[in-house]
Amino acid sequence: MLVGYVLNITTTLALAAAAAESDKVLAAGNRTFQFTRGLADAGEASVVYVLWALVPGAVVVVGWMWCALLAATVVQRTWLAWSRLPG
């Protein structure tokens, strides 16, 4: 799961840096640092942690599902960078 978090954060930062360098707008808003939406980003992590606390017997299943969402977000951002950025 730690690898999923690291890859998720890395793709977020790399995509934002590449977009800024190529003067592309990938996210809504007028910010220097562009945060693109993903399947596993904000409130989803809180939901997972609450589920772990409320249903301890489902930690393994919820953990694997969470890892799948993290991986899907990495793929999503990689595809976005590949399809919308030059090079």
Side-chain angles (χ1 to χ4, degrees):
M1 188 172 326
L2 179 60
V3 171
Y5 277 119
V6 170
L7 288 174
N8 198 356
I9 292 166
T10 301
T11 55
T12 300
L13 296 174
L15 181 58
E21 190 173 301
S22 64
D23 291 326
K24 291 277 188 176
V25 176
L26 300 176
N30 188 14
R31 303 174 85 180
T32 303
F33 191 80
Q34 298 182 50
F35 290 99
T36 54
R37 293 181 182 168
L39 292 174
D41 273 338
E44 295 86 356
S46 298
V47 170
V48 168
Y49 299 143
V50 168
L51 281 173
W52 283 345
L54 294 177
V55 190
V59 167
V60 173
V61 173
V62 173
W64 280 110
M65 291 171 57
W66 182 237
C67 288
L69 282 175
L70 288 170
T73 302
V74 169
V75 170
Q76 175 188 7
R77 287 206 179 103
T78 303
W79 177 82
L80 181 63
W82 180 77
S83 66
R84 306 248 340 253
L85 296 175

